[in-house]
Amino acid sequence: MAGKAELLLIGRATARMMDAMAADFTVHALLDQEDQQGWLAENGARIVAIATDGHWGASPEVLQHLPKLKIISCYGVGYDNIDAAACAARGIVVTHTPDVLNAEVANTAILLWLATSRRLIRDDAHVRSGNWEKGPAPLTQSVENRKVGILGLGRIGQEIARRIEIFSPTISYHSRNEKPGVSYRYYADLTEMARDIDTLICITPGGAATRHLVDRGVIDALGPEGTIINVGRGTVVDEAEMVQALIDGRLGAAGLDVFEHEPKVPKALKGMDNVTLLPHVGSATVQTRQAMGDLVTGNLAQFMRDGTVISPVPECANM
Ligand code: A2R
C-alpha cells in the first residue's frame, strides 16, 4: 500500500492545522531541516503539496526542487511572494484565504486611524509616566467629518469604507477600475484624490504593480495635515519618502501595520509620537487566524479528495 502524500510546510502552522494536514499528508517542516537546500535536493521529488504563508511564500529556488508539486495552500490573502502565474503555467494550483479576514483587517485599519488621530500611544504614556499630574495632554485630531480616501476598494477596502461611514460623509477611492454599484467618489488618479482628502487608507495587494504607488507626489498632495494608514503591504508606500516627509512636517501622521522591509522598521519612526506602529497583525486574532488556518487545510483536504479547491487565487481560478 502506498504511503501518505508528502507535504512541505514552509514557515509554521498551528497545532490545529498540523492535525488537519496529518489526515492526508506526511508533513515535512522545512524550518526543521538543518540543511534546507540539501533536504530539498534529496526529498523534493516526493512533495505534492505546500502549505505556506504570505510572508514565506514559495520561492523559485524551492519550487525548482519539486517536480511533482500540485498545490500551494497559502495562509493569508496576499500572495505576492508566490509567482501564481508561473505556478498556473506549471499546472500547480495556488490557494489563499480571502474574505475570512475582511472584518478583522478592516477593524485594524479603524484601530490605527483612531489611535493615530487621537494619539492613543502618546496619551497612554502621558498617564503611565506620571506627566498627567504636571499637566494635560495636548489636543488631538478628530476623526469626525474627515475626508477619507481608500486606495484599493476590494473585499477588505469595502469593509473599511462601511466602518468609515459612521465617521465621515466624504469617502472616496482609487483603484484601476471604477467599482459598479458603489456610491463613493472614484478617482482614476491617486495624486488627484490625495489632494482632495486628509486621510489615505492603503489596502491594495503588494507586488511589482503596486510598488511605491504612494510616492512623494502623493505624500505631498496629502500634505502636512494628512495621515497615511497602511494595512495592505509595506511596499505600496515609498517608505523612505514617507519617513522624510514626517521628519520635515510635510506629512502629518501615519498608522502602519506593514513596512517595506518588515520586520525591520526605520529607526526614525520609532521616535515619533505622530505615528502608530503595529507588527503586521491586521488579521492576527485567535478567531480570525483559526478561520484562516481552517481554510488553508480545507483547500488541501478538498484537493486530495476530488482535485478541486475552495479559494484559488485569480490566476488559478480556471484550472
Ligand atoms: O485595481 P482594481 O480595480 O483591480 O482594484 C483592486 C485594487 N488594486 C489596485 N489599485 C490601484 N492600482 C493597482 N495597481 C492595483 N492593484 C489592485 O486593490 C481592488 O480594489 C483592491 C484589492 O482588492 P481584493 O483583490 O479584493 O483584495 P483584498 O482581499 O481586499 O486584500 C487586499 C490586500 C491583500 O492582497 C494583502 O496584501 C492585504 O490586503 O492583506
Side-chain angles (χ1 to χ4, degrees), residues 128-139:
R128 289 174 199 254
S129 65
N131 282 343
W132 189 17
E133 291 168 29
K134 298 176 199 151
L139 299 184

Side-chain angles (χ1 to χ4, degrees), residues 77-78 152-156 174-177 179 203-206 209-210 213 232-233:
V77 63
L153 196 74
R155 288 172 293 241
I156 302 171
H174 166 74
S175 51
R176 291 166 301 187
N177 310 292
K179 309 287 164 203
I203 184 64
T204 61
T210 56
L213 271 183
R233 282 288 182 266

Side-chain angles (χ1 to χ4, degrees), residues 13-82:
T14 61
R16 181 182 168 102
M17 291 169 70
M18 292 299 262
D19 284 349
M21 291 189 291
D24 291 307
F25 299 98
T26 301
V27 177
H28 304 279
L30 191 57
L31 289 176
D32 289 344
Q33 311 307 326
E34 230 163 73
D35 171 13
Q36 296 186 5
Q37 281 305 315
W39 189 91
L40 285 167
E42 204 169 308
N43 303 287
R46 298 198 311 273
I47 299 294
V48 297
I50 283 179
T52 186
D53 60 32
H55 169 75
W56 288 98
S59 69
E61 292 72 38
V62 170
L63 295 184
Q64 68 177 353
H65 292 291
L66 315 179
K68 294 213 184 89
L69 185 68
K70 291 280 173 279
I71 179 169
I72 301 175
S73 186
C74 180
Y75 180 92
V77 63
Y79 54 97
D80 36 306
N81 287 324
I82 302 171

